[in-house]
């Protein structure tokens, strides 16, 4: 999750994206802020650079965005050590990276299965697995994280998906980090934002936190009614 003016602030703090300064954005590019279009178009513009209206979106733009989102990766592995995923881990043991690569990504996410879980699951403090507070995906404990990392020869899980007061939270004996890059979520939570820098070769996570920056007085979800009307 990130807002446009906070995205610009991250670039001020950490430099613009480039071949020498790559970024990995971990989902929730849109949906909660009234500058979501600016966020996703900025990210798309940087991606392309390296290799009087009443509504922000026309129907064709909505369809194009939906099509592009169905092509975005489900997960990343950085330097064969860090597993980056938006939501979390799985309802069964033994899931390998090859299983994730084998998922047919080019579709809307289903309501169950590996794709659903990787997008919607959340960590829990107790071991084992439990029902999801969201009604989709699941909650998973530190033992699940440890086993997944061991079976795939990885060191760390990085995920997002949940607002955190300090912009991040380290759980599961240091094997899982939640990072959330939208400070003052929905203009009311008062939380910090954060991003993580990884320095090769040891890939030790350096967590940078930041506060919200001012933005024009447009409330979160201000354009939602116009957007939803396109689907009616």
């Amino acid at each position: 999750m990130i807002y446009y003016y906070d995205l610009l602030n991250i670039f001020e703090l950490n430099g613009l994206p480039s071949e020498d300064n790559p970024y990995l954005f971990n989902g929730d590019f849109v949906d909660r802020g009234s500058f979501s279009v600016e966020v996703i178009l900025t990210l798309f513009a940087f991606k392309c650079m390296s290799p009087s209206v009443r509504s922000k979106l026309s129907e064709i733009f909505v369809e194009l965005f939906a099509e592009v989102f169905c092509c975005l990766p489900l997960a990343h592995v950085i330097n064969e050590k860090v597993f980056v995923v938006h939501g979390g881990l799985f309802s069964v043991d033994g899931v390998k990276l090859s299983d994730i690569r084998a998922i047919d990504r080019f579709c809307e996410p289903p309501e169950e299965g590996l794709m659903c879980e990787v997008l919607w699951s959340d960590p829990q403090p107790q071991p084992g697995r439990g029902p999801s507070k969201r009604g989709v995906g699941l909650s998973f404990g530190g033992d699940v994280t440890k086993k997944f990392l061991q079976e795939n020869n990885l060191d760390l899980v990085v995920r997002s998906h949940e607002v955190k007061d300090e912009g991040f939270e380290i759980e599961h004996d240091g094997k899982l980090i939640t990072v959330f890059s939208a400070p003052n979520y929905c203009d009311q939570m008062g939380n910090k934002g954060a991003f993580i820098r990884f320095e090769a070769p040891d890939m030790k996570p350096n967590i940078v936190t930041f506060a919200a920056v001012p933005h024009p007085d447009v409330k979160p979800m201000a354009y939602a009614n116009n957007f939803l009307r396109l689907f009616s």
Side-chain angles (χ1 to χ4, degrees):
M1 172 61 64
I2 193 169
Y3 296 143
Y4 179 64
Y5 292 90
D6 297 307
L7 174 65
L8 300 184
N9 186 40
I10 289 176
F11 292 157
E12 287 283 338
L13 294 170
N14 198 56
L16 291 173
S18 68
E19 296 291 339
D20 296 326
N21 191 36
Y23 282 77
L24 172 55
F25 293 95
N26 197 22
D28 279 350
F29 313 112
V30 300
D31 186 30
R32 291 294 185 271
S34 289
F35 304 96
S36 295
V37 176
E38 288 82 352
V39 169
I40 196 62
L41 289 178
T42 298
L43 298 183
F44 285 169
F46 275 112
K47 179 67 174 176
C48 291
M49 288 171 61
S50 197
S52 62
V53 296
R54 299 187 61 179
S55 175
K56 284 190 176 184
L57 296 175
S58 66
E59 185 173 353
I60 187 63
F61 268 92
V62 175
E63 293 173 354
L64 288 172
F65 279 133
E67 184 174 347
V68 170
F69 290 159
C70 286
C71 300
L72 295 178
L74 294 173
H76 297 264
V77 177
I78 306 176
N79 283 27
E80 300 181 350
K81 293 185 177 182
V82 181
F83 181 70
V84 183
V85 66
H86 179 69
L89 300 181
F90 308 100
S91 58
V92 294
D93 292 331
V95 175
K96 300 295 181 66
L97 295 179
S98 58
D99 297 318
I100 302 171
R101 294 189 186 101
I103 296 172
D104 180 9
R105 175 63 185 96
F106 303 103
C107 65
E108 291 284 341
E111 295 185 2
E112 59 183 11
L114 295 186
M115 184 191 292
C116 173
E117 291 167 359
V118 86
L119 293 170
W120 285 100
S121 296
D122 298 289
Q124 65 182 21
Q126 64 271 27
R129 295 177 172 90
S132 170
K133 60 190 177 185
R134 306 173 188 272
V136 63
L138 69 143
S139 297
F140 61 96
D143 56 330
V144 176
T145 298
K146 181 179 179 181
K147 188 169 185 179
F148 173 80
L149 293 174
Q150 288 176 339
E151 290 177 341
N152 288 281
N153 196 28
L154 298 165
D155 294 342
L156 179 69
V157 173
V158 173
R159 45 91 62 181
S160 300
H161 200 39
E162 293 179 285
V163 61
K164 299 296 181 180
D165 288 344
E166 295 300 315
F168 73 97
E169 185 174 2
I170 301 174
E171 301 174 80
H172 296 178
D173 295 324
K175 295 297 185 181
L176 182 144
I177 302 176
T178 296
V179 59
F180 192 84
S181 300
N184 195 25
Y185 180 54
C186 289
D187 289 345
Q188 63 183 7
M189 296 297 289
N191 60 288
K192 294 179 182 178
F195 59 87
I196 304 176
R197 288 183 60 92
F198 288 99
E199 301 285 349
D202 62 356
M203 301 303 289
K204 180 180 178 181
N206 177 21
I207 301 172
V208 181
T209 64
F210 57 94
V213 297
H215 62 71
D217 188 22
V218 180
K219 301 304 180 186
M221 305 299 286
Y223 300 101
N225 287 339
N226 281 342
F227 177 80
L228 294 173
R229 198 174 297 128
L230 295 172
F231 293 96
S232 62

